[in-house]
Amino acid sequence: MSERVPPAGPQHTYSGKVRDIYTDGDDLILVASDRMSIYDVVLPTPIPDKGRILTALSLWWFEQLSDLAPNHVLSSTDVPAEFAGRAIRCRRLEMVGVECIARGYLTGSGLKEYAQSGTVCGIPLPAGLTDGSRIPEPIFTPTTKAALGEHDTAMTFEEVVREVGLSTAEDLRTLTLEVYRRGSELAAGRGIIIADTKIELGFAPDGTLVIADELLTPDSSRFWPAETWEPGRPQFGFDKQYVRDWATSKGWDKQPPGPELPDQVVEATRQRYVDAYERLTGERWV
């Protein structure tokens, strides 16, 4: 009996809400699709160029913050031709089972919790804050990492400690807040407020904490133009909050299936992603 010959080339192993993962020898190839996910539900309508913008902007941020922590990128060019521009060759990591989120402004789910209890993820905040208010000091507000089709839920720092241990929890908090601080400072100089951001972290075989997935993109962050920011009302955003708001206004209950997006919403969303890329990088999107 002849030996089985392993298949040549990358093999598809997983599809998330937005990204597809392929294995290629010891490496992973992370492919960003044009799928749009809101409230953990993938919508049936793609946003043209979205995957390419997310990939390009993540690569730009990885370079800007390369001195802060290592990242998972091996190459942005050594990828299959059909994925060119939207894929990254990555090293394998042992991913942390916590979504690491930093908030510098009060909005979204954090605003809802604050209205009920005066806290966000168990962290007390000053009285009198409104939608869009700046938080005195950025806070670490982690969530669970839910399976596809399920919803992430807020975690207190104590719950993170129980999940990963005190030392790792402190490292997650420190790095998440530093990514937010550095990213916010750079973005502020380009007219963008980063209200909040989510990062993915994992461990390399030597135990080093590594930044993975995407970084400071319109999918993982809320970007507001600084010139129109005004607490007390919803903000214009260069991110997918526009799609969330549109879907909610149509009476969608945030359960699958998601609504089809009309052409004008698709184009307005694409333009927001392009504007975020161009403002941050100073480069024209082609």
Side-chain angles (χ1 to χ4, degrees), residues 190-211:
R190 296 161 194 236
I192 286 183
I193 291 171
I194 301 180
D196 51 44
T197 196
K198 175 183 71 177
I199 66 174
E200 297 271 5
L201 297 169
F203 287 102
D206 65 359
T208 302
L209 199 55
V210 177
I211 302 174

PDB file of all heavy atoms in Angstrom, residues 190-211:
ATOM      1  N   ARG A 190      -4.099  62.953  13.941  1.00  0.00           N
ATOM      2  CA  ARG A 190      -4.644  62.868  12.584  1.00  0.00           C
ATOM      3  C   ARG A 190      -6.147  63.102  12.568  1.00  0.00           C
ATOM      4  O   ARG A 190      -6.831  62.755  11.608  1.00  0.00           O
ATOM      5  CB  ARG A 190      -4.284  61.514  11.987  1.00  0.00           C
ATOM      6  CG  ARG A 190      -2.760  61.395  11.852  1.00  0.00           C
ATOM      7  CD  ARG A 190      -2.253  59.959  11.714  1.00  0.00           C
ATOM      8  NE  ARG A 190      -0.814  59.953  11.927  1.00  0.00           N
ATOM      9  CZ  ARG A 190       0.071  59.472  11.058  1.00  0.00           C
ATOM     10  NH1 ARG A 190      -0.327  58.953   9.927  1.00  0.00           N
ATOM     11  NH2 ARG A 190       1.354  59.516  11.336  1.00  0.00           N
ATOM     12  N   GLY A 191      -6.641  63.680  13.666  1.00  0.00           N
ATOM     13  CA  GLY A 191      -8.039  64.092  13.694  1.00  0.00           C
ATOM     14  C   GLY A 191      -9.041  63.018  14.011  1.00  0.00           C
ATOM     15  O   GLY A 191     -10.240  63.201  13.765  1.00  0.00           O
ATOM     16  N   ILE A 192      -8.589  61.898  14.582  1.00  0.00           N
ATOM     17  CA  ILE A 192      -9.498  60.811  14.910  1.00  0.00           C
ATOM     18  C   ILE A 192      -9.426  60.489  16.399  1.00  0.00           C
ATOM     19  O   ILE A 192      -8.338  60.361  16.966  1.00  0.00           O
ATOM     20  CB  ILE A 192      -9.180  59.547  14.085  1.00  0.00           C
ATOM     21  CG1 ILE A 192      -9.653  59.737  12.643  1.00  0.00           C
ATOM     22  CG2 ILE A 192      -9.833  58.306  14.687  1.00  0.00           C
ATOM     23  CD1 ILE A 192      -9.461  58.514  11.762  1.00  0.00           C
ATOM     24  N   ILE A 193     -10.585  60.386  17.011  1.00  0.00           N
ATOM     25  CA  ILE A 193     -10.709  59.895  18.381  1.00  0.00           C
ATOM     26  C   ILE A 193     -10.962  58.396  18.313  1.00  0.00           C
ATOM     27  O   ILE A 193     -11.864  57.944  17.610  1.00  0.00           O
ATOM     28  CB  ILE A 193     -11.875  60.577  19.114  1.00  0.00           C
ATOM     29  CG1 ILE A 193     -11.554  62.047  19.377  1.00  0.00           C
ATOM     30  CG2 ILE A 193     -12.204  59.855  20.425  1.00  0.00           C
ATOM     31  CD1 ILE A 193     -12.739  62.837  19.911  1.00  0.00           C
ATOM     32  N   ILE A 194     -10.158  57.616  19.022  1.00  0.00           N
ATOM     33  CA  ILE A 194     -10.447  56.185  19.168  1.00  0.00           C
ATOM     34  C   ILE A 194     -11.206  56.034  20.481  1.00  0.00           C
ATOM     35  O   ILE A 194     -10.636  56.175  21.563  1.00  0.00           O
ATOM     36  CB  ILE A 194      -9.167  55.336  19.165  1.00  0.00           C
ATOM     37  CG1 ILE A 194      -8.387  55.547  17.864  1.00  0.00           C
ATOM     38  CG2 ILE A 194      -9.519  53.854  19.332  1.00  0.00           C
ATOM     39  CD1 ILE A 194      -7.101  54.748  17.770  1.00  0.00           C
ATOM     40  N   ALA A 195     -12.495  55.774  20.374  1.00  0.00           N
ATOM     41  CA  ALA A 195     -13.333  55.685  21.568  1.00  0.00           C
ATOM     42  C   ALA A 195     -13.041  54.422  22.360  1.00  0.00           C
ATOM     43  O   ALA A 195     -13.015  54.428  23.591  1.00  0.00           O
ATOM     44  CB  ALA A 195     -14.800  55.739  21.188  1.00  0.00           C
ATOM     45  N   ASP A 196     -12.847  53.327  21.639  1.00  0.00           N
ATOM     46  CA  ASP A 196     -12.529  52.047  22.273  1.00  0.00           C
ATOM     47  C   ASP A 196     -11.923  51.128  21.230  1.00  0.00           C
ATOM     48  O   ASP A 196     -11.988  51.404  20.025  1.00  0.00           O
ATOM     49  CB  ASP A 196     -13.773  51.398  22.914  1.00  0.00           C
ATOM     50  CG  ASP A 196     -14.957  51.312  21.962  1.00  0.00           C
ATOM     51  OD1 ASP A 196     -14.772  50.934  20.788  1.00  0.00           O
ATOM     52  OD2 ASP A 196     -16.088  51.621  22.380  1.00  0.00           O
ATOM     53  N   THR A 197     -11.335  50.049  21.687  1.00  0.00           N
ATOM     54  CA  THR A 197     -10.763  49.089  20.752  1.00  0.00           C
ATOM     55  C   THR A 197     -10.667  47.719  21.394  1.00  0.00           C
ATOM     56  O   THR A 197     -10.580  47.606  22.628  1.00  0.00           O
ATOM     57  CB  THR A 197      -9.370  49.526  20.254  1.00  0.00           C
ATOM     58  OG1 THR A 197      -9.024  48.772  19.092  1.00  0.00           O
ATOM     59  CG2 THR A 197      -8.293  49.331  21.312  1.00  0.00           C
ATOM     60  N   LYS A 198     -10.710  46.702  20.561  1.00  0.00           N
ATOM     61  CA  LYS A 198     -10.582  45.314  21.006  1.00  0.00           C
ATOM     62  C   LYS A 198      -9.350  44.720  20.339  1.00  0.00           C
ATOM     63  O   LYS A 198      -9.124  44.921  19.143  1.00  0.00           O
ATOM     64  CB  LYS A 198     -11.820  44.509  20.600  1.00  0.00           C
ATOM     65  CG  LYS A 198     -11.735  43.018  20.906  1.00  0.00           C
ATOM     66  CD  LYS A 198     -12.974  42.281  20.416  1.00  0.00           C
ATOM     67  CE  LYS A 198     -13.027  42.202  18.899  1.00  0.00           C
ATOM     68  NZ  LYS A 198     -14.183  41.417  18.419  1.00  0.00           N
ATOM     69  N   ILE A 199      -8.532  44.012  21.110  1.00  0.00           N
ATOM     70  CA  ILE A 199      -7.378  43.343  20.522  1.00  0.00           C
ATOM     71  C   ILE A 199      -7.405  41.867  20.896  1.00  0.00           C
ATOM     72  O   ILE A 199      -8.011  41.463  21.887  1.00  0.00           O
ATOM     73  CB  ILE A 199      -6.036  43.983  20.949  1.00  0.00           C
ATOM     74  CG1 ILE A 199      -5.783  43.811  22.447  1.00  0.00           C
ATOM     75  CG2 ILE A 199      -6.001  45.443  20.557  1.00  0.00           C
ATOM     76  CD1 ILE A 199      -4.403  44.298  22.879  1.00  0.00           C
ATOM     77  N   GLU A 200      -6.761  41.074  20.058  1.00  0.00           N
ATOM     78  CA  GLU A 200      -6.618  39.635  20.294  1.00  0.00           C
ATOM     79  C   GLU A 200      -5.163  39.366  20.674  1.00  0.00           C
ATOM     80  O   GLU A 200      -4.234  39.870  20.026  1.00  0.00           O
ATOM     81  CB  GLU A 200      -6.965  38.844  19.028  1.00  0.00           C
ATOM     82  CG  GLU A 200      -8.402  39.012  18.570  1.00  0.00           C
ATOM     83  CD  GLU A 200      -9.325  38.003  19.200  1.00  0.00           C
ATOM     84  OE1 GLU A 200      -8.860  37.231  20.060  1.00  0.00           O
ATOM     85  OE2 GLU A 200     -10.503  37.989  18.829  1.00  0.00           O
ATOM     86  N   LEU A 201      -4.956  38.562  21.703  1.00  0.00           N
ATOM     87  CA  LEU A 201      -3.616  38.248  22.168  1.00  0.00           C
ATOM     88  C   LEU A 201      -3.434  36.741  22.287  1.00  0.00           C
ATOM     89  O   LEU A 201      -4.395  36.002  22.542  1.00  0.00           O
ATOM     90  CB  LEU A 201      -3.357  38.909  23.527  1.00  0.00           C
ATOM     91  CG  LEU A 201      -3.384  40.441  23.539  1.00  0.00           C
ATOM     92  CD1 LEU A 201      -3.392  40.972  24.953  1.00  0.00           C
ATOM     93  CD2 LEU A 201      -2.207  41.004  22.766  1.00  0.00           C
ATOM     94  N   GLY A 202      -2.209  36.315  22.086  1.00  0.00           N
ATOM     95  CA  GLY A 202      -1.884  34.904  22.218  1.00  0.00           C
ATOM     96  C   GLY A 202      -0.451  34.738  22.689  1.00  0.00           C
ATOM     97  O   GLY A 202       0.330  35.697  22.716  1.00  0.00           O
ATOM     98  N   PHE A 203      -0.112  33.504  23.051  1.00  0.00           N
ATOM     99  CA  PHE A 203       1.226  33.212  23.536  1.00  0.00           C
ATOM    100  C   PHE A 203       2.029  32.459  22.487  1.00  0.00           C
ATOM    101  O   PHE A 203       1.547  31.482  21.896  1.00  0.00           O
ATOM    102  CB  PHE A 203       1.165  32.375  24.816  1.00  0.00           C
ATOM    103  CG  PHE A 203       0.712  33.146  26.020  1.00  0.00           C
ATOM    104  CD1 PHE A 203      -0.587  33.021  26.487  1.00  0.00           C
ATOM    105  CD2 PHE A 203       1.585  34.013  26.670  1.00  0.00           C
ATOM    106  CE1 PHE A 203      -1.007  33.738  27.594  1.00  0.00           C
ATOM    107  CE2 PHE A 203       1.163  34.731  27.780  1.00  0.00           C
ATOM    108  CZ  PHE A 203      -0.127  34.600  28.243  1.00  0.00           C
ATOM    109  N   ALA A 204       3.260  32.931  22.253  1.00  0.00           N
ATOM    110  CA  ALA A 204       4.208  32.192  21.440  1.00  0.00           C
ATOM    111  C   ALA A 204       4.728  31.002  22.250  1.00  0.00           C
ATOM    112  O   ALA A 204       4.546  30.947  23.473  1.00  0.00           O
ATOM    113  CB  ALA A 204       5.368  33.110  21.038  1.00  0.00           C
ATOM    114  N   PRO A 205       5.373  30.026  21.593  1.00  0.00           N
ATOM    115  CA  PRO A 205       5.875  28.864  22.325  1.00  0.00           C
ATOM    116  C   PRO A 205       6.806  29.209  23.487  1.00  0.00           C
ATOM    117  O   PRO A 205       6.863  28.463  24.471  1.00  0.00           O
ATOM    118  CB  PRO A 205       6.599  28.070  21.238  1.00  0.00           C
ATOM    119  CG  PRO A 205       5.877  28.415  19.979  1.00  0.00           C
ATOM    120  CD  PRO A 205       5.515  29.858  20.130  1.00  0.00           C
ATOM    121  N   ASP A 206       7.508  30.358  23.401  1.00  0.00           N
ATOM    122  CA  ASP A 206       8.424  30.731  24.489  1.00  0.00           C
ATOM    123  C   ASP A 206       7.719  31.502  25.606  1.00  0.00           C
ATOM    124  O   ASP A 206       8.364  31.982  26.538  1.00  0.00           O
ATOM    125  CB  ASP A 206       9.602  31.538  23.946  1.00  0.00           C
ATOM    126  CG  ASP A 206       9.189  32.895  23.375  1.00  0.00           C
ATOM    127  OD1 ASP A 206       7.979  33.210  23.370  1.00  0.00           O
ATOM    128  OD2 ASP A 206      10.087  33.645  22.923  1.00  0.00           O
ATOM    129  N   GLY A 207       6.396  31.644  25.511  1.00  0.00           N
ATOM    130  CA  GLY A 207       5.637  32.325  26.544  1.00  0.00           C
ATOM    131  C   GLY A 207       5.457  33.811  26.340  1.00  0.00           C
ATOM    132  O   GLY A 207       4.815  34.474  27.152  1.00  0.00           O
ATOM    133  N   THR A 208       5.996  34.352  25.241  1.00  0.00           N
ATOM    134  CA  THR A 208       5.850  35.778  24.952  1.00  0.00           C
ATOM    135  C   THR A 208       4.419  36.094  24.554  1.00  0.00           C
ATOM    136  O   THR A 208       3.803  35.359  23.771  1.00  0.00           O
ATOM    137  CB  THR A 208       6.795  36.195  23.811  1.00  0.00           C
ATOM    138  OG1 THR A 208       8.140  35.899  24.180  1.00  0.00           O
ATOM    139  CG2 THR A 208       6.664  37.682  23.516  1.00  0.00           C
ATOM    140  N   LEU A 209       3.878  37.203  25.069  1.00  0.00           N
ATOM    141  CA  LEU A 209       2.539  37.651  24.710  1.00  0.00           C
ATOM    142  C   LEU A 209       2.615  38.391  23.372  1.00  0.00           C
ATOM    143  O   LEU A 209       3.414  39.319  23.203  1.00  0.00           O
ATOM    144  CB  LEU A 209       1.986  38.567  25.797  1.00  0.00           C
ATOM    145  CG  LEU A 209       0.481  38.796  25.849  1.00  0.00           C
ATOM    146  CD1 LEU A 209      -0.282  37.477  25.945  1.00  0.00           C
ATOM    147  CD2 LEU A 209       0.126  39.698  27.023  1.00  0.00           C
ATOM    148  N   VAL A 210       1.776  37.981  22.430  1.00  0.00           N
ATOM    149  CA  VAL A 210       1.867  38.443  21.043  1.00  0.00           C
ATOM    150  C   VAL A 210       0.515  39.004  20.596  1.00  0.00           C
ATOM    151  O   VAL A 210      -0.532  38.425  20.892  1.00  0.00           O
ATOM    152  CB  VAL A 210       2.288  37.283  20.118  1.00  0.00           C
ATOM    153  CG1 VAL A 210       2.311  37.726  18.653  1.00  0.00           C
ATOM    154  CG2 VAL A 210       3.653  36.733  20.532  1.00  0.00           C
ATOM    155  N   ILE A 211       0.541  40.126  19.865  1.00  0.00           N
ATOM    156  CA  ILE A 211      -0.678  40.699  19.300  1.00  0.00           C
ATOM    157  C   ILE A 211      -1.024  39.953  18.014  1.00  0.00           C
ATOM    158  O   ILE A 211      -0.167  39.752  17.146  1.00  0.00           O
ATOM    159  CB  ILE A 211      -0.500  42.192  19.004  1.00  0.00           C
ATOM    160  CG1 ILE A 211      -0.111  42.957  20.277  1.00  0.00           C
ATOM    161  CG2 ILE A 211      -1.785  42.781  18.415  1.00  0.00           C
ATOM    162  CD1 ILE A 211       0.229  44.413  20.038  1.00  0.00           C
TER     163      ILE A 211
END
